[in-house]
C-alpha cells in the first residue's frame, strides 16, 4: 500500500520541450491581453480632452462629444446589421450546399472560390461598389421607391448615383461572406454521422435531417461566425469611405442620397486634416468603436455559453 501511494505521488520529470511549449503559450496569451490593455489605455488617455471639448472644436456641428459620436455609432451599427441580415442566410445556404449537397469536386472548387474572397483588399471592394454595383442597383432602387415608398425604409427621393447605405451594406455582406461561410462549413462537416444517419433512418428527408441534426449541432458555431463577420463589418473603413457620401446624421432610409457614415470611415476621412483637439475627438470615436466591438463579442460569448449545452460544436 505504501509503495503504491509513493508511486502515485511521484511525478514524471517534465521534458524540456514541454516546458518551452507551456511557457510559450502562457506568454502568447498574456501578450494578447497586454496589447489589448495597452490599446484601451492609449485610447482612453488620448480621448479625455474630447469629453470636455467645446462646440467650436466640433466645427459647430455638435454641442458636445456625445452628440457628435451618436450619428457615427448609429451608422456603424446600422450598416453592419444590414450586412449581417444579407450575409448570414447566404453564408449558411452556401455552407450547407458545400457540405451536404454538392458533389465533392464541385464542393472543393466552390470552397476555394469563397475563401479567395477573403484575400481581396477592401479598396477593391470599394471600387467595385462605386463602379459596378451602385450603377447596377440604381434603377432597381428607383423601382423600390415607386413600389414601396410608403414604407419609411424605402422612402424617397432615391439617390441618383446608387451610392446608398444599402449599397454599402451589400458590399460589406460580400466582404464578411467568406468568414461566415468558412466557419459554418467546417462546423456542419463536424456533425456526427450517427446523428445524420439516425435522422435518415427514421424517414426524414435530407432537409429535415439538416433541420433536426446539422443546424442544432452548429448553432453555436453559426453565432460565433456571425460575430466574427460583425467585427469585420464594424471596423471596415475603405469600402464605406469610398462608396458613401458622409452625412453625420441618423437616417433610417436606405435609398436616399443622404446616408449615415461610420466611425471608421469618419476617422479615415478626417484624420489627415485633424489637429489639436480634433485628433483627440477622432481617437475618442475610436474608443467608442472599441467599446462597441468589445460589447458585441461579450454578448456573443454569453449567447454561446447559454446554448452550448444544446450543441456539440463546443
Amino acid at each position: 500500500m505504501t509503495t503504491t501511494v509513493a508511486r502515485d505521488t511521484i511525478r514524471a520529470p517534465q521534458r524540456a520541450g514541454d516546458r518551452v511549449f507551456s511557457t510559450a503559450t502562457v506568454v502568447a496569451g498574456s501578450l494578447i491581453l497586454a496589447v489589448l490593455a495597452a490599446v484601451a489605455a492609449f485610447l482612453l488617455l488620448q480621448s479625455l480632452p474630447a469629453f470636455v471639448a467645446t462646440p467650436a472644436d466640433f466645427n459647430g456641428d455638435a454641442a458636445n462629444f456625445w452628440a457628435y459620436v451618436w450619428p457615427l455609432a448609429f451608422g456603424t451599427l446600422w450598416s453592419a446589421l444590414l450586412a449581417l441580415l444579407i450575409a448570414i442566410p447566404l453564408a449558411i445556404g452556401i455552407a450547407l450546399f458545400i457540405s451536404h449537397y454538392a458533389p465533392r469536386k464541385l464542393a472543393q472548387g466552390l470552397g476555394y472560390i469563397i475563401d479567395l474572397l477573403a484575400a481581396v483588399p477592401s479598396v477593391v471592394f470599394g471600387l467595385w461598389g462605386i463602379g459596378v454595383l451602385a450603377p447596377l442597383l440604381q434603377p432597381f432602387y428607383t423601382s423600390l421607391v415607386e413600389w414601396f415608398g410608403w414604407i419609411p425604409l424605402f422612402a424617397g427621393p432615391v439617390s441618383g448615383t446608387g451610392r446608398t447605405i444599402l449599397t454599402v451594406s451589400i458590399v460589406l455582406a460580400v466582404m464578411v461572406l467568406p468568414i461566415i461561410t468558412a466557419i459554418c462549413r467546417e462546423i456542419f462537416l463536424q456533425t456526427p454521422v450517427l446523428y445524420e444517419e439516425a435522422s435518415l433512418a427514421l424517414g426524414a428527408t435530407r432537409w429535415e435531417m439538416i433541420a433536426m441534426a446539422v443546424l442544432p449541432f452548429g448553432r453555436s458555431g453559426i453565432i460565433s461566425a456571425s460575430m466574427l463577420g460583425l467585427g469585420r463589418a464594424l471596423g471596415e473603413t475603405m469600402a464605406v469611405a469610398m462608396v458613401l457620401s458622409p452625412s453625420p446624421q441618423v437616417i433610417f432610409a436606405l435609398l436616399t442620397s443622404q446616408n449615415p457614415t461610420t466611425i471608421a470611415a469618419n476617422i479615415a476621412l478626417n484624420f489627415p486634416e485633424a489637429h489639436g483637439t480634433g485628433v483627440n475627438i477622432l481617437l475618442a470615436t475610436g474608443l467608442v468603436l472599441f467599446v462597441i466591438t468589445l460589447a458585441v463579442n461579450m454578448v456573443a460569448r454569453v449567447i454561446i455559453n447559454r446554448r452550448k449545452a444544446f450543441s456539440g460544436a463546443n
Side-chain angles (χ1 to χ4, degrees), residues 3 18 68 70 97 109 118 120 138 186 200 213 222 225 257 301 303:
T3 304
D18 294 335
Y68 174 80
W70 160 240
F97 177 75
V120 178
Q138 200 281 330
E186 296 303 320
L200 296 174
I222 294 173
S257 58
R301 179 53 55 186
I303 295 174

Side-chain angles (χ1 to χ4, degrees), residues 68-78 261-263 288 292:
Y68 174 80
V69 76
W70 160 240
L72 303 176
F74 167 79
T76 301
L77 294 172
W78 183 231
T261 187
T262 65
I263 293 177
V288 173
I292 291 174

Side-chain angles (χ1 to χ4, degrees), residues 149-164:
W150 51 275
I151 301 176
L153 289 178
F154 303 108
V158 66
S159 172
T161 61
R163 295 167 62 177
T164 69

Side-chain angles (χ1 to χ4, degrees), residues 83-93 173 176-177 180 184 222 225-227:
L84 285 189
L85 290 177
I86 298 171
I88 291 176
L90 287 175
I92 294 176
V176 304
L177 189 65
I180 303 176
C184 290
I222 294 173
S226 301
M227 292 304 103

